[in-house]
Amino acid sequence: MSLAFFKYFFQYVFKGHTRQRLIFLTIIGLLISSFSLMVLQGIMGGLQNGLVKRSKNVIGQGYYDVSNYSRTELSDLIKDLRYKKIQYVKELEIELMVQNGGYLAPLIIHGLDFDHMTPDFLKGRDISGLVLGGQLARDISAFYNTDVTITSPAHTTLLMREVPRQSSIEVTDFFSSELPEVDRIHGWVRLRFVQNLIRKKTFNRIRIYGNASPINDFLASTNYKNYVSWDEMNATLVWALGLETKVMLFLFTSMSFLIGICIVSGYLIFYNKIKVDLASFWILGLSKKKAMKLIYIFGHLLTGVFSLLGVSLGLIFLKLLDSNQLVIMPEHFVERNIPVNFELRDILLAFFVPYLIAYIFTKITFNIFKKEDTSFISLIKKVG
């Protein structure tokens, strides 16, 4: 009986002269809402993920500040990293000044131990000299084979008076990550050059690269101090990306309440029209309580099915978009195709945000209808 009940009212809503256009428009709105939220999250996730990946490709998943490590602690850390097969590179990072003729700019220089490991973003580049960020090179008008002067105000030589230490080096290559915070201020060079500049055979960072999962497992199983994660290095960016997502969800949820208003109007008209039909099922042996319960479930089933359908269509669209890799953006855009990235959380949000709003308004509408306390006997007498 329940299956026949649902089948009858689905046909009542969508077929023939009984078609309920307002409800039809409402559930199509739910479908579009779920579809749009799924697509929006997938594309926003792709754009945000692309930005994060480009950043982590350069500055890694994080680093250990080993400035205050003892020789034993440093040895144990390196031994454990090797044992766990974690990609790492020894680094001496200091803030300097770089000068080319009359051009002067701040520089965060990364002295890397290339004998141990060359990060992926520097592979294939000429690392025999200084590799500059693309924007920084433009700021100081540096080109290939340009000799620049590196000055460290924090390290001085006593010669009649304190003089900042300087050294010249040739610019041999450039790197552009398309991230202004990297390209405007960073440079990479062999570790020995920076050590010679400051006159100390030391390093202050062990920078971690590679996939996040083994690194997280390593962090969970060890307790080495002074680890700075990518999230901590980029706290402002992480906060901004989170705020962007929350604002998007808030605006989308607010717009979904418009669908709720349509649900109230559509279902009130629908319930008023089907009173006689409910009475017919009562005559066929369905109790009034059961009939009211089934029509209540029908309302939620209708909104749930179309919310799920919207999410499904959104997933199909995102998969097609991701597989085709259509290049539709102009050349000056970092992402020439539309990137896609989504997780289970995004799918659940795309379904539950529209559905829960629809659920609330459907329940309110049904309670209004239920309070009328319609008598099936009176309805049958009127029809007769």
Side-chain angles (χ1 to χ4, degrees):
M1 178 68 80
S2 298
L3 184 61
F5 185 93
F6 291 138
K7 183 179 178 181
Y8 173 81
F9 282 108
F10 266 110
Q11 292 175 342
Y12 188 95
V13 170
F14 296 108
K15 290 186 177 182
H17 66 280
T18 60
R19 183 179 299 158
Q20 303 299 300
R21 290 180 176 84
L22 190 53
I23 290 183
F24 182 77
L25 290 174
T26 300
I27 56 180
I28 290 299
L30 272 176
L31 185 149
I32 294 172
S33 180
S34 298
F35 172 84
S36 302
L37 186 54
M38 187 68 246
V39 171
L40 185 61
Q41 287 187 111
I43 293 175
M44 280 189 62
L47 291 170
Q48 293 182 354
N49 186 60
L51 186 150
V52 172
K53 282 179 68 176
R54 290 197 304 275
S55 180
K56 288 184 176 181
N57 182 50
V58 178
I59 64 176
Q61 297 284 350
Y63 67 83
Y64 282 99
D65 184 348
V66 296
S67 305
N68 298 318
Y69 272 42
S70 66
R71 191 181 295 272
T72 302
E73 288 176 320
L74 189 56
S75 176
D76 290 342
L77 173 59
I78 292 174
K79 184 170 64 176
D80 284 346
L81 287 170
R82 286 177 178 170
Y83 178 75
K84 295 291 185 178
K85 297 181 179 179
I86 304 294
Q87 296 181 41
Y88 72 93
V89 62
K90 298 175 185 177
E91 175 184 307
L92 179 54
E93 177 188 306
I94 55 176
E95 297 182 9
L96 306 167
M97 300 297 295
V98 59
Q99 183 176 5
N100 178 33
Y103 298 96
L104 186 68
L107 167 67
I108 296 176
I109 196 166
H110 303 267
L112 304 177
D113 183 6
F114 293 127
D115 294 334
H116 169 70
M117 174 193 160
T118 301
D120 289 342
F121 73 96
L122 291 177
K123 288 180 179 177
R125 301 185 183 277
D126 187 351
I127 56 175
S128 60
L130 176 64
V131 179
L132 280 180
Q135 185 59 50
L136 177 59
R138 287 190 287 272
D139 290 344
I140 64 171
S141 295
F143 302 95
Y144 288 101
N145 303 320
T146 299
D147 286 323
V148 296
T149 302
I150 303 295
T151 305
S152 176
H155 302 88
T156 58
T157 299
L158 187 60
L159 184 66
M160 302 296 289
R161 59 189 179 86
E162 288 190 342
V163 179
R165 290 180 187 163
Q166 291 184 335
S167 184
S168 294
I169 189 170
E170 185 179 69
V171 177
T172 54
D173 216 329
F174 309 97
F175 174 76
S176 292
S177 64
E178 305 298 342
L179 299 168
E181 63 272 19
V182 173
D183 297 339
R184 296 181 71 94
I185 199 170
H186 290 264
W188 300 267
V189 71
R190 62 189 182 279
L191 177 60
R192 187 62 59 85
F193 172 82
V194 185
Q195 290 177 339
N196 289 338
L197 178 65
I198 68 171
R199 311 284 173 84
K200 286 183 181 179
K201 193 174 181 180
T202 185
F203 56 91
N204 57 7
R205 301 275 190 274
I206 291 185
R207 196 168 294 275
I208 308 297
Y209 290 92
N211 296 326
S213 297
I215 295 169
N216 291 334
D217 292 340
F218 179 81
L219 293 172
S221 61
T222 58
N223 58 353
Y224 292 105
K225 60 186 179 182
N226 298 341
Y227 179 76
V228 182
S229 67
W230 181 90
D231 288 355
E232 291 172 314
M233 285 187 278
N234 299 273
T236 303
L237 176 61
V238 172
W239 178 83
L241 293 178
L243 180 64
E244 182 181 49
T245 302
K246 289 171 184 171
V247 169
M248 179 269 295
L249 283 174
F250 172 76
L251 292 175
F252 214 93
T253 303
S254 300
M255 289 188 290
S256 296
F257 275 96
L258 296 174
I259 299 172
I261 297 171
C262 295
I263 288 173
V264 172
S265 304
Y267 272 111
L268 282 177
I269 295 171
F270 173 66
Y271 288 145
N272 191 56
K273 285 185 176 182
I274 63 167
K275 289 177 181 178
V276 175
D277 299 273
L278 291 175
S280 300
F281 277 95
W282 176 66
I283 293 171
L284 292 173
L286 195 66
S287 67
K288 181 179 178 180
K289 183 179 180 181
K290 182 72 171 178
M292 296 295 281
K293 181 180 179 181
L294 287 176
I295 200 62
Y296 172 72
I297 294 172
F298 173 77
H300 292 304
L301 184 63
L302 198 61
T303 55
V305 166
F306 276 82
S307 296
L308 185 60
L309 182 59
V311 173
S312 302
L313 291 175
L315 286 171
I316 293 170
F317 178 80
L318 289 174
K319 289 290 186 182
L320 291 174
L321 196 63
D322 190 39
S323 61
N324 289 326
Q325 294 290 307
L326 298 175
V327 179
I328 60 176
M329 297 296 188
E331 290 184 2
H332 57 271
F333 277 75
V334 176
E335 303 282 1
R336 301 249 359 243
N337 61 303
I338 298 179
V340 172
N341 183 67
F342 57 87
E343 300 174 354
L344 178 61
R345 170 182 170 274
D346 301 319
I347 298 173
L348 294 176
L349 279 173
F351 172 75
F352 281 110
V353 168
Y355 174 69
L356 287 177
I357 291 172
Y359 176 89
I360 293 168
F361 282 97
T362 301
K363 188 174 179 65
I364 291 171
T365 308
F366 180 77
N367 288 339
I368 294 171
F369 169 66
K370 193 175 179 181
K371 284 180 181 178
E372 294 179 6
D373 196 23
T374 305
S375 171
F376 287 166
I377 294 177
S378 301
L379 288 171
I380 294 169
K381 286 180 179 180
K382 287 180 182 178
V383 174

